[in-house]
Amino acid sequence: MQMACSNCGKELMEAAVFCIYCGTPVAATGREPLKPGKLYGVIALLCAAEIFLAVLVYSLTIWLLGVGLLTPSITSPLEFLWAIVVMSLCLLSPFCAIAGIVYGILGYNTEGRRYAYAGLVLSVLYTLLVLLLVLPFIAYILLVPPFIAYIIFVLHR
């Protein structure tokens, strides 16, 4: 969309800040800069989106392993690339969870309250979802081997 310079009248692009012909500053056309409160809210929402993406990719990986489309050992370049994506998302998720919660709290009492509140709630919910997905594996790793060792010890007495 085109607009005209208020000083010389030449046509300018809408995104222009100064007239390229006479150097006159162009009046703001209703564009509002992103305020810190809204920025906090947007960051909180982006963090929540990353956590959701990590949960989605992790769940898809478990499903692909279950149906045999992926193998536990990496046998192709595509599986190697997928493993890098999964590991990157999973390693980034705790930091995004913390950042989403912090930025959600920072932006809560500002003009970006809706975004911040949504980012805060989603970050907490997705973090709980990640914990629900991961805690059974941690419990399995911590509890099952000692239990099996105890059973073997008792049976061999």
Side-chain angles (χ1 to χ4, degrees):
M1 184 174 185
Q2 299 278 331
M3 64 180 180
C5 173
S6 60
N7 184 39
C8 66
K10 302 231 179 177
E11 287 194 24
L12 304 171
M13 296 299 291
E14 183 183 1
V17 178
F18 293 94
C19 175
I20 59 172
Y21 302 103
C22 66
T24 303
V26 176
T29 59
R31 292 185 304 252
E32 184 179 323
L34 194 58
K35 296 179 182 171
K38 286 186 180 178
L39 183 63
Y40 293 153
V42 169
I43 291 172
L45 280 175
L46 289 174
C47 291
E50 191 283 333
I51 300 165
F52 176 74
L53 183 63
V55 169
L56 188 68
V57 167
Y58 178 77
S59 302
L60 181 63
T61 302
I62 297 299
W63 179 78
L64 289 172
L65 284 169
V67 297
L69 294 174
L70 281 177
T71 57
S73 61
I74 297 171
T75 57
S76 72
L78 187 60
E79 287 181 343
F80 178 72
L81 182 63
W82 186 259
I84 289 174
V85 168
V86 171
M87 290 306 298
S88 300
L89 287 172
C90 289
L91 290 174
L92 193 59
S93 288
F95 300 107
C96 283
I98 293 167
I101 292 168
V102 168
Y103 280 111
I105 292 169
L106 285 175
Y108 188 71
N109 287 325
T110 64
E111 65 277 355
R113 166 178 270 181
R114 292 183 309 225
Y115 304 114
Y117 184 69
L120 176 64
V121 169
L122 290 173
S123 292
V124 169
L125 286 176
Y126 293 150
T127 302
L128 291 175
L129 181 61
V130 168
L131 288 176
L132 288 175
L133 287 172
V134 172
L135 283 180
F137 292 113
I138 293 173
Y140 178 80
I141 290 168
L142 293 177
L143 298 176
V144 171
F147 181 72
I148 292 173
Y150 175 74
I151 298 283
I152 292 171
F153 177 73
V154 168
L155 290 176
H156 284 301
R157 284 179 124 200

